[in-house]
Amino acid sequence: METYKRLPKHIGIIPDGNRRWAQGHSLEKQEGYKFGVEPGVELYQLCIELGIKEMTFYGFTVDNTKRPAEQTKAFQDACVAAVNKLKDGDVDLLVVGNTNSKLFPKELLPYTKRTKFGKGLIKINFLVNYSWSWDLNYGVKQADFDPKDDITKTIASSDISRMDLIIRWGGRRRLSGFLPIQSIYSDFYVVDELWPDYNTSQVHAALQWYQDQDVTLGG
Amino acid sequence: METYKRLPKHIGIIPDGNRRWAQGHSLEKQEGYKFGVEPGVELYQLCIELGIKEMTFYGFTVDNTKRPAEQTKAFQDACVAAVNKLKDGDVDLLVVGNTNSKLFPKELLPYTKRTKFGKGLIKINFLVNYSWSWDLNYGVKQADFDPKDDITKTIASSDISRMDLIIRWGGRRRLSGFLPIQSIYSDFYVVDELWPDYNTSQVHAALQWYQDQDVTLGG
């Protein structure tokens, strides 16, 4: 196992490229998502070994559900499958997303309250039917909202901490609405390979890069 | 002049690396900022030639003002100098930042209302004493705030449009609080050279890259 002089406490994951991977393998676009489940489990295992304290997976967004119905069903199913596999590990699990929609998979409703499985060694946050606009507007819509509150602390995802490192698979260099508050100071690493082509060397390359970044939090 | 099949309408600029540049040239850190003024003017001229419609410069932040006083004075002066030079061009200028602070340079107060100079060919937004938290909280602190409002539209920077492309100089791959709402879907390009070492080929490389990105806005 490689060692690092400085590891991120919290890693955000954008598992992009499932549809392009499917097309590259002569499959229908929606068939790519199920090949994205096992990489998530492998990445979780690597993070446990490394001693990472928190991970957030960008599952699917409200924007994504505007895609064809068969794609929406496929990524909903993949998220449910991934969460069910992660539950077999030692995780402290939280699912965050807009539950006031039938697009939110009802199987995941119990985990919208943080729940410990096994030894609960790592916080895993999974965004499901998430929307950055819903997240940011969440607090001011509550009955007990006080305009003196800091609205960046009353967000729907307020139980998710600041991300130190975001790794995006699939070559795109953008955040696509991934936790706007928690990504403010994140270092952003892009893997060109598509998410179903995940392997541990990609993560080690990201961590090698990360350990040489300075952390200034804007100071 | 090179031509592009697809150009960004709005480019965000993070002009980082002035202090590192100064140290590399045996100068005091704060002496770097004044070498960052002319690159901004040259970049403005290139964008005018290309027909870019809007640019936003990340001037300085409230976080930055926690640095030593001589550095704060140096980047305040550099921002005032840059705005004064841009005023000689054909710009539609807006300065955005927290004016309720003596750290906001009073010379720039007139431009917190958008003001046209020359032919006003390009919108130039300049962030000065800016804070992402101040920006996001701005709307809910107003007397006429309605909790039914979309708070992502009542931000202090609401007159600044979505950025298509963000170019950051100085090698860091992070947003550092740069317009969290307008950067949601931005493509992010990093130039390794430091900002005072600006040259047009860096921008052309960014535009070459940008024209081959897809624009999905999360869909």
Side-chain angles (χ1 to χ4, degrees):
Chain A
M1 196 69 178
E2 296 187 52
T3 56
Y4 296 96
K5 62 186 176 199
R6 193 170 63 87
L7 275 173
K9 284 194 202 75
H10 182 180
I11 303 181
I13 304 296
I14 305 181
D16 192 28
N18 297 282
R19 292 183 296 172
R20 283 176 279 157
W21 186 91
Q23 289 181 298
H25 289 74
S26 306
L27 297 169
E28 297 288 320
K29 280 185 182 177
Q30 69 273 10
E31 295 183 81
Y33 293 110
K34 63 173 177 280
F35 293 91
V37 175
E38 191 54 32
V41 178
E42 288 178 32
L43 177 52
Y44 148 77
Q45 284 161 341
L46 177 62
C47 286
I48 284 276
E49 287 167 36
L50 287 163
I52 303 293
K53 300 298 180 204
E54 186 166 0
M55 296 174 75
T56 299
F57 287 95
Y58 205 14
F60 73 89
T61 66
V62 173
D63 284 340
N64 296 154
T65 63
K66 293 163 194 156
R67 295 177 186 168
E70 65 273 18
Q71 290 183 29
T72 298
K73 181 165 189 324
F75 59 63
Q76 287 170 320
D77 290 350
C79 285
V80 172
V83 169
N84 280 330
K85 288 212 173 197
L86 291 167
K87 275 167 50 193
D88 293 338
D90 295 307
V91 302
D92 198 8
L93 178 70
L94 179 70
V95 171
V96 173
N98 187 351
T99 57
N100 291 324
S101 155
K102 57 184 178 181
L103 294 164
F104 186 95
K106 62 182 186 317
E107 301 93 318
L108 300 182
L109 278 172
Y111 317 121
T112 55
K113 192 167 174 267
R114 199 179 278 285
T115 309
K116 206 170 269 198
F117 294 91
K119 294 180 200 143
L121 295 176
I122 186 170
K123 280 189 182 179
I124 301 264
N125 313 304
F126 214 103
L127 305 190
V128 167
N129 203 42
Y130 173 85
S131 148
W132 61 271
S133 164
W134 163 81
D135 190 9
L136 297 181
N137 277 291
Y138 186 82
V140 301
K141 310 301 182 206
Q142 305 304 309
D144 61 349
F145 174 71
D146 179 340
K148 291 196 199 76
D149 288 347
D150 180 344
I151 62 150
T152 70
K153 293 181 175 147
T154 63
I155 55 179
S157 63
S158 59
D159 193 36
I160 301 180
S161 74
R162 184 172 63 72
M163 294 180 285
D164 302 297
L165 171 65
I166 295 172
I167 311 178
R168 181 172 184 142
W169 270 260
R172 310 282 192 237
R173 302 190 208 166
R174 61 178 87 125
L175 287 171
S176 307
F178 186 36
L179 294 172
I181 302 298
Q182 291 91 336
S183 64
I184 291 274
Y185 298 115
S186 306
D187 282 302
F188 187 45
Y189 186 90
V190 176
V191 174
D192 284 330
E193 290 95 333
L194 307 173
W195 173 244
D197 289 327
Y198 165 88
N199 67 60
T200 56
S201 69
Q202 297 154 349
V203 181
H204 285 299
L207 294 173
Q208 284 287 353
W209 172 78
Y210 177 79
Q211 70 177 350
D212 293 325
Q213 302 307 303
D214 61 336
V215 176
T216 62
L217 303 184
Chain B
M1 196 71 177
E2 297 187 52
T3 57
Y4 296 95
K5 62 186 179 199
R6 192 170 64 86
L7 276 173
K9 285 195 202 73
H10 182 180
I11 304 181
I13 304 296
I14 306 181
D16 193 29
N18 297 283
R19 291 183 296 173
R20 282 176 279 158
W21 186 91
Q23 288 181 297
H25 289 74
S26 305
L27 298 168
E28 297 288 319
K29 280 184 181 179
Q30 68 272 13
E31 295 183 80
Y33 293 111
K34 64 174 178 281
F35 292 90
V37 175
E38 191 55 32
V41 177
E42 288 178 33
L43 177 53
Y44 149 77
Q45 283 160 343
L46 177 61
C47 286
I48 284 276
E49 287 168 35
L50 288 163
I52 304 293
K53 300 299 179 203
E54 186 166 0
M55 296 174 74
T56 299
F57 287 96
Y58 205 14
F60 73 88
T61 66
V62 173
D63 284 339
N64 296 154
T65 62
K66 293 164 195 156
R67 295 177 187 168
E70 65 273 17
Q71 289 184 29
T72 297
K73 182 167 189 320
F75 60 64
Q76 287 170 321
D77 289 350
C79 285
V80 171
V83 168
N84 281 331
K85 289 213 170 195
L86 290 167
K87 277 166 50 191
D88 293 337
D90 295 309
V91 303
D92 198 9
L93 179 70
L94 179 70
V95 172
V96 173
N98 187 352
T99 58
N100 291 324
S101 154
K102 57 184 180 181
L103 294 164
F104 185 95
K106 62 183 187 315
E107 302 92 319
L108 300 182
L109 278 172
Y111 316 120
T112 55
K113 194 169 172 267
R114 200 179 277 287
T115 309
K116 206 170 270 200
F117 294 91
K119 294 180 200 143
L121 295 176
I122 187 170
K123 280 188 180 176
I124 301 264
N125 313 304
F126 214 103
L127 305 190
V128 168
N129 203 41
Y130 174 85
S131 146
W132 61 271
S133 164
W134 163 81
D135 190 8
L136 296 181
N137 276 291
Y138 186 82
V140 302
K141 310 299 182 208
Q142 305 303 309
D144 61 349
F145 174 71
D146 180 340
K148 290 195 198 76
D149 289 346
D150 180 343
I151 62 150
T152 70
K153 292 179 175 149
T154 63
I155 53 179
S157 62
S158 59
D159 193 36
I160 301 181
S161 73
R162 183 171 65 71
M163 294 181 284
D164 302 298
L165 171 65
I166 296 172
I167 311 178
R168 180 172 186 141
W169 270 259
R172 310 282 192 237
R173 303 188 207 165
R174 60 177 87 126
L175 288 171
S176 307
F178 186 36
L179 294 172
I181 302 297
Q182 291 92 335
S183 64
I184 290 275
Y185 299 116
S186 306
D187 282 301
F188 186 46
Y189 186 91
V190 175
V191 174
D192 284 330
E193 289 95 334
L194 306 173
W195 173 243
D197 288 328
Y198 165 89
N199 67 60
T200 57
S201 68
Q202 297 155 348
V203 181
H204 285 299
L207 294 173
Q208 284 287 354
W209 172 78
Y210 177 79
Q211 69 176 350
D212 293 324
Q213 303 306 303
D214 62 336
V215 177
T216 62
L217 302 184

